[in-house]
Amino acid sequence: MNFENPWKQNPWFESVAVAEARARKRLPKPVYGALVAGSERGQSVADNQAAFAEIGLAPHVAGQQAERKQSTRVMGQDVSLPVLISPTGVQVVHPDGEVAVARAAAARGTLMGLSNFASRPVEEVTATGAATLFQMYWTGDRDTMTQRMQRAHDAGVKGLIATLDWSFSIGRDWGSPEIPEKVDLRTMVRMAPAVIRKPRWLWHFGRPGHIAHLTAPNLAPPGGAAPTFFGAYYEWMTTPPPSWDDVAWMREQWHQISGTPFMLKGVCRIDDALRAVDAGVHAISVSNHGGNNLDGTPATIRMVKPISDAVGEQIEVLMDGGIRRGSDVVKAVALGARAVMIGRAYLWGLAANGQAGVENVLDVLRGGIDSTLMGLGVGSIHQIDPDDILFPDGFHRLLGQPKPRPVAIEA
């Protein structure tokens, strides 16, 4: 049997769907399952993608622009396309993990989101030269969170993302995949039925001298050891959930430490978006955590326009969830998003071909954006508006719409 390096250069793939197919072929079933599964029946995961298929495009037959520009500015940083890397947890789909993703982001001129639960330290990620946004959950006490913010700032990150859209609704109708504490030969033996069919993945993670402990190094106390992934998860689960006063404190604390932008991720409601503005955030991301929040939460693309209409002139509005094609990006921008963040799409690219695979995914999206802009007859992503797309009646979901105040009637 040939145990060649599974992450050597492979042929270019032409779509995110092909990247997913290659990831499914290369990864053990539990690892792949952890990427695609959503909470409960998976309703929100399915709607995140299906909703994009309900949106049509209105192309021109002539008069297209010879050059199309995709560059924009997000969180105070210039990016070459309106697609950012969303922070995701321990990336054991590839041995280089978040470092490979950061290098790809830097090579393609976009922002890298690094998770609290990442498998690589923030210092290693920023050392790649990638403009990095550090993501934090509300976990631990305030002194601990302040220490983590300071460490991220000292490492040179360009902004902070507060992720508050992950609920405790984690039951899955099809069962949750097993996630071991570490990936070593003993684990491989125990999980043999799942991994024996993936010898190329086993070649790297199971070889002597290479043991991948699933830890969260960015949650390590000063001078202390990094907690395991499950230790970090326990800390999060046992931390009382934040209030809006806590959100405002977090934003102010980050401003004092760094002065760089602050994003609140996980907004689904108009009233929450308005509260985020009051808390002083620079940006929000409309998100249902890729369907891993409360199942039954509408697709994020259905909530973008109502939220953008309410707060888009005051803060930057981004979205994440279900992006698979460049046309999806254009549709999101047309409905009011400054940019989108991708998660599963780049993880599939990472599994398929490491750094080159992530670059490939970004190139696929860039090409799809360009084709859509050309068909719509516009020369810049900033010229897109709702008139360029078609959506059925009742498409949008207005959650938390403030009730109009009663009008006083003079006697």
Side-chain angles (χ1 to χ4, degrees):
M1 187 173 294
N2 182 12
F3 287 88
E4 64 180 1
N5 186 337
W7 290 285
K8 71 179 182 181
Q9 184 66 35
N10 284 331
W12 184 83
F13 45 81
E14 63 182 12
S15 70
V16 172
V18 174
E20 180 184 3
R22 292 190 183 180
R24 183 171 61 247
K25 183 178 180 181
R26 291 172 182 272
L27 296 174
K29 186 176 180 179
V31 178
Y32 175 76
L35 294 184
V36 299
S39 63
E40 297 180 340
R41 65 168 58 88
Q43 177 180 337
S44 294
V45 173
D47 195 33
N48 272 352
Q49 294 185 63
F52 280 103
E54 297 180 27
I55 304 175
L57 299 168
H60 288 282
V61 69
Q64 286 87 354
Q65 303 297 307
E67 295 183 1
R68 281 80 55 188
K69 296 181 179 179
Q70 301 185 28
S71 59
T72 188
R73 189 170 177 84
V74 183
M75 294 284 282
Q77 300 295 312
D78 293 325
V79 292
S80 67
L81 76 168
V83 179
L84 279 58
I85 297 296
S86 188
T88 60
V90 182
Q91 296 177 5
V92 295
V93 300
H94 187 276
D96 292 335
E98 294 85 359
V99 170
V101 177
R103 289 171 178 157
R108 293 301 182 262
T110 192
L111 290 171
M112 165 70 183
L114 181 69
S115 173
N116 240 169
F117 290 172
S119 60
R120 293 297 186 93
V122 61
E123 294 83 3
E124 288 186 14
V125 172
T126 55
T128 65
T132 303
L133 304 176
F134 186 66
Q135 176 259 11
M136 289 182 60
Y137 291 99
W138 184 263
T139 175
D141 59 30
R142 286 189 172 190
D143 288 343
T144 299
M145 284 185 271
T146 299
Q147 175 267 317
R148 291 167 181 165
M149 291 184 209
Q150 186 65 55
R151 176 183 172 184
H153 167 70
D154 292 345
V157 303
K158 305 299 183 182
L160 190 75
I161 301 174
T163 297
L164 305 181
D165 65 330
W166 190 9
S167 76
F168 292 101
S169 179
I170 58 175
R172 295 174 172 132
D173 288 2
W174 47 88
S176 297
E178 180 184 359
I179 302 176
E181 286 270 1
K182 61 181 179 179
V183 183
D184 59 8
L185 189 56
R186 178 175 295 181
T187 302
M188 297 297 178
V189 171
R190 181 170 55 82
M191 300 179 70
V195 303
I196 197 66
R197 301 175 184 177
K198 308 297 179 180
R200 292 187 295 176
W201 187 84
L202 177 63
W203 176 88
H204 194 102
F205 284 105
R207 67 186 181 185
H210 189 102
I211 300 175
H213 291 267
L214 299 187
T215 61
N218 294 305
L219 298 182
T228 66
F229 175 81
F230 291 100
Y233 188 79
Y234 177 80
E235 179 189 85
W236 170 71
M237 289 189 69
T238 55
T239 301
S243 66
W244 280 105
D245 287 341
D246 291 326
V247 174
W249 170 84
M250 195 176 194
R251 199 284 309 171
E252 178 60 26
Q253 195 70 16
W254 178 249
H255 178 74
Q256 293 178 12
I257 291 172
S258 175
T260 57
F262 180 100
M263 179 194 300
L264 178 63
K265 185 175 181 292
V267 177
C268 294
R269 299 168 54 106
I270 297 170
D271 51 1
D272 280 355
L274 294 169
R275 294 291 296 270
V277 172
D278 292 341
V281 308
H282 182 90
I284 60 174
S285 182
V286 181
S287 172
N288 58 23
H289 210 101
N292 282 299
N293 194 351
L294 291 175
D295 196 31
T297 305
T300 50
I301 191 64
R302 300 186 189 278
M303 301 181 286
V304 168
K305 189 176 188 302
I307 290 174
S308 179
D309 287 348
V311 302
E313 293 185 359
Q314 299 167 273
I315 58 175
E316 295 177 6
V317 176
L318 292 84
M319 71 143 286
D320 62 87
I323 298 292
R324 300 292 184 269
R325 299 164 186 85
S327 59
D328 295 341
V329 179
V330 175
K331 292 171 182 178
V333 173
L335 291 176
R338 173 72 64 92
V340 305
M341 297 196 291
I342 59 171
R344 290 182 176 95
Y346 80 78
L347 289 174
W348 290 326
L350 179 65
N353 198 19
Q355 176 185 339
V358 180
E359 293 174 5
N360 195 155
V361 165
L362 291 170
D363 289 343
V364 165
L365 295 177
R366 187 191 302 276
I369 295 169
D370 185 69
S371 295
T372 307
L373 294 180
M374 182 178 181
L376 295 176
V378 299
S380 168
I381 193 70
H382 297 286
Q383 295 173 0
I384 292 293
D385 63 45
D387 291 337
D388 293 312
I389 62 174
L390 308 169
F391 44 83
D393 292 340
F395 177 81
H396 304 298
R397 301 291 187 268
L398 282 70
L399 308 184
Q401 186 175 21
K403 296 179 180 179
R405 296 180 179 178
V407 178
I409 301 176
E410 296 182 3

